[in-house]
Amino acid sequence: MSDPLMPELPSAGGGTIAPRQPTDWTTDAMRQRIRKRYARERRFRRLGLVAVVMSAAFLAFLLVTMASQGLGGFFRTEVALPIDFPQTGIEVDKAALDQPGADLALAGAGLENIVGSAAIAAFGDYGPNVISDNAWLTVREAIKHDPSILDGRAVIHVPASAEIDRAISETGTPEAEAAVTKLQAENAITEGFNWRFLSASDSTDPTQVGIWGALKGSFFTMLVTFLIAFPVGVLAAIYLEEYAPKNRWTDLVEVSINNLAAVPSIIFGLLGLAVFLGTWTLFGHKVGPLLPRSAALVGGLTLALMIMPVIVIASRNAIKAVPPSIRDAALGIGASKVQVVFHHVLPLALPGILTGTIIGMARALGETAPLLLVGMRAFIATPPDSLTDKATVLPVQIFLWSDEVSRGFVEKTSAAIIVLLVFLLAMNAVAIYLRNKFETRW
Amino acid sequence: MNDLTDTTLAQTAREHADMADSAAPVKMAARDVHVYYGETHAIKGVSIDIDMDHVTAFIGPSGCGKSTFLRTLNRMNDTIAAARVEGQITLDGEDIYASGMDVVQLRARVGMVFQKPNPFPKSIYENVAYGPRIHGLAASKSDMDAIVERSLRRAGLWDEVKDRLTDSGTAMSGGQQQRLCIARAIAVDPEVILMDEPCSALDPIATAKIEELIHELRGNYAIVIVTHNMQQAARVSQRTAFFHLGNLVEYGVTSDIFTNPREDKTKDYITGRYG
Ligand SMILES: Nc1ncnc2c1ncn2[C@@H]1O[C@H](COP(=O)(O)OP(=O)(O)O)[C@@H](O)[C@H]1O
Ligand SMILES: [Mg+2]
């Protein structure tokens, strides 16, 4: 009987099956094969180990050089400078000191020269080289803080010059070495944490520079990037995964997005330059530039274009990973499409979306090239106060400092790199934490 | 051997035929329904009446279109891009594929329980409360508490979970999860409940509980259950529809189908000749 639903088994009547021959596992060929297999396993393991050791060595080398060069940047050498104010004949109206014009009043009183003379009085002819050129700024702050010191003799800790700094950390000029020996004997040298490095902005004097301006610029830029790239990227991913019909056009969009994620960042810089800062002639009228140059707004928009594909891809994968049975369950009790997405799919996909976003943001935070193109390489001595102020960002600041000839900038460059690395590591740590904490369990 | 199976099934069906009222009012009616997945013709002109307050079983070999047809009854096929439905299906005389039909409301009226238990990864309480919340069925927190309790009681789950309503719905046994899904479906007060092989992922004890539950729910809802298990169809249903290769081969009162099938194909299938 032939039933189409019950295929017949092949009948075993065709020929006689030879009796079973036991395998000999001890022949030479067999032994050799086993030896070969073991050798291959060992070789592979060694190669893997070499690869890991090499990458670890590179990483260690990077960290050690950065730390050894850069940690000094977080500390500064201070010299105790005694100043006998009545003797210097300084004339300042004390009443003016708590008013906005205080800086001007003190500058008019010749504070810079007074500090220079005090240094000569205290440390001899080499004195002015012991203290930083900007030491008088510290003195000015001290006077503003407590005007009563003008009435007598005060000891003020002012930053040491770059020469003295170098004489302490390595070997400096003979004069500087001699001055250090003398100062140390007098206990006039102290090492302190360089708060200025975190609170000041760019300067031409390496002892005065800080990263606050660049950090603020980075913060504003990242803010713009996040506010644009996150919602647009996630909405695009939701649309592509949940709403778009699967046809040739969506395939094309998918391929384009994947390609965009691989486009070199400098190209996005050119795009930002052309779109946000370019000028066009429309109907005989000159239009543009749309946005101000060098501003965090432009940099943020440019970086948003750059990381949007990354966010879209990560979000699509996270949304795809939500089991279809959850969608069915919600649809089955009469949830609308939007309710399914916002009540069920997004909450479950959010950890993956956030992880992808943070990784994209970390990439944006470390980006230099596109920002150079939109003019964020300006010398910024005052931190930006708004999204449209001229600003720079941490990696660009590092790039600019690394280009400086003055020796003092080497240390500051490495110190700024350390700060950048700390931020990047922190962001990646948060991403890993999120991934592990919300790893889907059902 | 075949005859023995047949007799046992027929007997089971007769024992459970108590409620079978051959002149029950019609809840849902399908007329000449065709379903296509792209080129595949999965349902080929099926016409059937789903009776009110009865349990209707869909049986048939794998791939014959039982799930496909079940999903046309609450328009879950809308979610499959390639699927196309032709023909007419009515709920209380109203065409559910008419352009004015609100799919969201339809799915609240025609609830569904899936093959694999699929509770939301939320608390037990939230699982049941979700439907009533999105449809605005509870005016207050105490209303909602009452709905949740009533639904869990009807699903025979209340005593097991009343002390841990805040635990995750996914942290229960498979059988409990499936009963939670049934509670979730009845929380929105549906008129019809569709169940697609609700016991295929469960052990025999959990299966028995679900069957018992279906028994208790019958009489309040029109229930349609897809099953692979002939015994189950005989035990829980009063109507049986046998599908084969996209056709509805035979449909009738369960005890008749199992004692006295009109078609040879039906007879072959229920006596275990294939499937
Ligand atoms: N999403 C789908 N896309 C394409 N074909 C499908 C899809 N779902 C089911 N089919 C086809 O439709 C037919 C009926 O399937 P189904 O309704 O799942 O059968 P059953 O539930 O009776 O096992 C099968 O041939 C199957 O391959
Ligand atoms: Mg099925």
Side-chain angles (χ1 to χ4, degrees):
Chain A
M1 177 206 69
S2 72
D3 184 334
L5 289 157
M6 283 278 263
E8 282 181 22
L9 288 172
S11 61
T16 47
I17 297 170
R20 173 178 174 270
Q21 290 288 327
T23 308
D24 183 2
W25 294 97
T26 55
T27 60
D28 278 350
M30 201 57 98
R31 287 216 173 101
Q32 187 156 6
R33 194 155 37 234
I34 291 172
R35 266 200 303 280
K36 257 190 176 157
R37 199 176 73 220
Y38 275 105
R40 214 174 297 145
E41 301 257 344
R42 268 198 304 275
R43 208 157 47 225
F44 186 76
R45 208 164 50 213
R46 268 188 221 130
L47 274 177
L49 194 63
V50 168
V52 169
V53 167
M54 265 171 62
S55 8
F58 281 129
L59 186 65
F61 178 75
L62 173 79
L63 291 179
V64 168
T65 32
M66 282 308 135
S68 67
Q69 288 185 2
L71 279 181
F74 292 103
F75 298 94
R76 71 170 180 185
T77 316
E78 288 179 342
V79 180
L81 176 67
I83 308 181
D84 195 351
F85 285 105
Q87 212 171 39
T88 59
I90 186 169
E91 280 185 24
V92 195
D93 179 8
K94 277 190 203 158
L97 285 179
D98 14 327
Q99 277 153 31
D103 286 358
L104 214 60
L106 284 165
L111 197 57
E112 193 165 359
N113 291 332
I114 291 171
V115 170
S117 314
I120 295 178
F123 313 124
D125 285 345
Y126 189 68
N129 295 324
V130 169
I131 59 172
S132 156
D133 290 346
N134 291 299
W136 68 279
L137 292 173
T138 314
V139 176
R140 187 178 75 186
E141 295 307 310
I143 295 174
K144 267 161 55 181
H145 184 67
D146 179 13
S148 67
I149 60 172
L150 286 173
D151 297 334
R153 190 172 178 280
V155 177
I156 298 170
H157 290 267
V158 298
S161 67
E163 282 165 65
I164 295 293
D165 246 354
R166 196 149 353 105
I168 289 173
S169 53
E170 8 180 339
T171 43
T173 56
E175 294 93 341
E177 292 285 346
V180 167
T181 321
K182 191 157 154 271
L183 288 168
Q184 275 168 342
E186 292 169 14
N187 251 342
I189 279 191
T190 46
E191 284 276 325
F193 189 77
N194 187 2
W195 290 109
R196 199 179 165 78
F197 183 68
L198 296 182
S199 64
S201 296
D202 203 3
S203 160
T204 46
D205 176 357
T207 61
Q208 296 297 309
V209 298
I211 53 167
W212 180 239
L215 268 183
K216 225 172 154 187
S218 274
F219 173 76
F220 282 142
T221 309
M222 288 299 106
L223 189 70
V224 174
T225 304
F226 179 80
L227 289 181
I228 301 293
F230 181 72
V232 176
V234 172
L235 287 177
I238 292 174
Y239 179 78
L240 287 173
E241 276 307 313
E242 301 283 332
Y243 287 92
K246 303 274 172 277
N247 59 27
R248 208 179 310 159
W249 292 111
T250 38
D251 283 352
L252 195 67
V253 169
E254 171 148 19
V255 170
S256 311
I257 290 176
N258 290 345
N259 281 332
L260 271 185
V263 166
S265 59
I266 196 155
I267 310 279
F268 285 98
L270 285 170
L271 181 68
L273 182 65
V275 174
F276 304 124
L277 304 177
T279 50
W280 307 277
T281 312
L282 286 181
F283 308 113
H285 294 282
K286 263 218 159 17
V287 180
L290 295 174
L291 299 169
R293 246 184 113 70
S294 307
L297 184 58
V298 179
L301 285 171
T302 305
L303 293 180
L305 292 179
M306 188 187 83
I307 68 166
M308 207 126 53
V310 178
I311 295 182
V312 172
I313 292 171
S315 304
R316 287 188 70 173
N317 287 335
I319 290 171
K320 234 182 254 172
V322 175
S325 65
I326 297 293
R327 293 181 180 82
D328 283 348
L331 287 171
I333 48 174
S336 69
K337 193 107 196 195
V338 170
Q339 286 169 334
V340 172
V341 169
F342 284 92
H343 295 169
H344 300 284
V345 176
L346 264 195
L348 292 173
L350 204 57
I353 293 175
L354 287 182
T355 306
T357 306
I358 293 172
I359 288 170
M361 293 292 287
R363 195 183 143 196
L365 178 64
E367 200 55 71
T368 320
L371 298 179
L372 295 178
L373 286 180
V374 294
M376 291 190 80
R377 58 175 306 169
F379 176 80
I380 308 292
T382 40
D385 280 324
S386 77
L387 296 180
T388 48
D389 285 349
K390 283 199 181 309
T392 190
V393 294
L394 211 41
V396 172
Q397 187 74 81
I398 290 168
F399 169 74
L400 293 175
W401 284 351
S402 72
D403 231 18
E404 292 277 350
V405 274
S406 169
R407 291 272 285 123
F409 274 108
V410 174
E411 191 175 71
K412 302 296 175 186
T413 308
S414 299
I417 290 175
I418 291 176
V419 173
L420 181 62
L421 284 179
V422 166
F423 274 99
L424 290 177
L425 289 180
M427 285 173 85
N428 282 320
V430 171
I432 291 170
Y433 171 78
L434 279 178
R435 189 160 50 212
N436 291 343
K437 169 140 202 231
F438 294 102
E439 196 121 74
T440 19
R441 338 141 218 162
W442 45 62
Chain B
M1 172 67 198
N2 285 346
D3 287 342
L4 182 68
T5 317
D6 185 28
T7 334
T8 326
L9 272 170
Q11 200 175 341
T12 315
R14 267 195 301 273
E15 279 166 11
H16 289 83
D18 51 338
M19 281 273 297
D21 166 5
S22 51
V26 174
K27 186 70 190 171
M28 296 191 82
R31 289 293 171 270
D32 195 27
V33 171
H34 293 259
V35 182
Y36 304 85
Y37 290 111
E39 297 295 300
T40 318
H41 196 174
I43 293 290
K44 302 165 184 165
V46 169
S47 299
I48 191 171
D49 288 343
I50 307 293
D51 290 343
M52 221 172 252
D53 303 343
H54 282 71
V55 179
T56 305
F58 288 177
I59 60 171
S62 270
C64 68
K66 306 179 296 290
S67 301
T68 300
F69 185 69
L70 191 74
R71 292 164 65 95
T72 62
L73 298 178
N74 68 343
R75 292 186 57 175
M76 280 299 278
N77 281 331
D78 290 12
T79 62
I80 300 169
R84 199 172 86 244
V85 179
E86 283 172 9
Q88 197 193 39
I89 299 178
T90 57
L91 172 64
D92 288 338
E94 194 185 348
D95 184 358
I96 65 170
Y97 282 87
S99 57
M101 175 49 84
D102 177 38
V103 182
V104 161
Q105 230 174 58
L106 170 72
R107 294 199 189 124
R109 292 173 66 193
V110 184
M112 189 155 197
V113 176
F114 297 83
Q115 188 164 356
K116 201 173 136 258
N118 56 355
F120 300 130
K122 302 179 188 234
S123 72
I124 293 171
Y125 184 96
E126 270 309 307
N127 262 283
V128 182
Y130 181 71
R133 180 167 305 132
I134 59 174
H135 294 295
L137 300 184
S140 64
K141 174 86 174 75
S142 55
D143 265 10
M144 186 62 89
D145 291 347
I147 291 178
V148 170
E149 178 174 347
R150 191 174 61 231
S151 308
L152 286 170
R153 275 193 196 284
R154 283 204 187 155
L157 200 56
W158 176 252
D159 291 330
E160 289 161 63
V161 302
K162 62 171 182 247
D163 298 323
R164 50 187 188 112
L165 289 175
T166 53
D167 285 11
S168 173
T170 50
M172 301 195 292
S173 75
Q176 287 176 319
Q177 290 190 18
Q178 195 61 298
R179 278 181 286 149
L180 179 61
C181 292
I182 294 174
R184 182 176 64 188
I186 56 190
V188 290
D189 201 19
E191 297 151 38
V192 182
I193 303 178
L194 311 176
M195 300 187 178
D196 192 351
E197 301 190 35
C199 303
S200 67
L202 305 183
D203 60 75
I205 294 175
T207 300
K209 280 205 170 131
I210 302 267
E211 286 182 10
E212 200 179 310
L213 176 57
I214 292 171
H215 253 298
E216 277 156 23
L217 294 176
R218 162 188 79 171
N220 287 311
Y221 309 91
I223 297 177
V224 184
I225 177 170
V226 172
T227 178
H228 250 116
N229 180 335
M230 234 54 58
Q231 290 285 350
Q232 185 171 65
R235 277 193 303 265
V236 303
S237 74
Q238 294 83 50
R239 303 278 184 276
T240 296
F242 171 60
F243 287 80
H244 184 234
L245 299 175
N247 295 302
L248 176 61
V249 176
E250 187 165 352
Y251 176 50
V253 173
T254 300
S255 51
D256 294 348
I257 297 262
F258 282 108
T259 45
N260 193 10
R262 286 189 306 276
E263 304 284 333
D264 286 346
K265 272 205 194 106
T266 317
K267 186 169 180 206
D268 287 352
Y269 182 70
I270 62 179
T271 52
R273 289 274 311 289
Y274 58 81

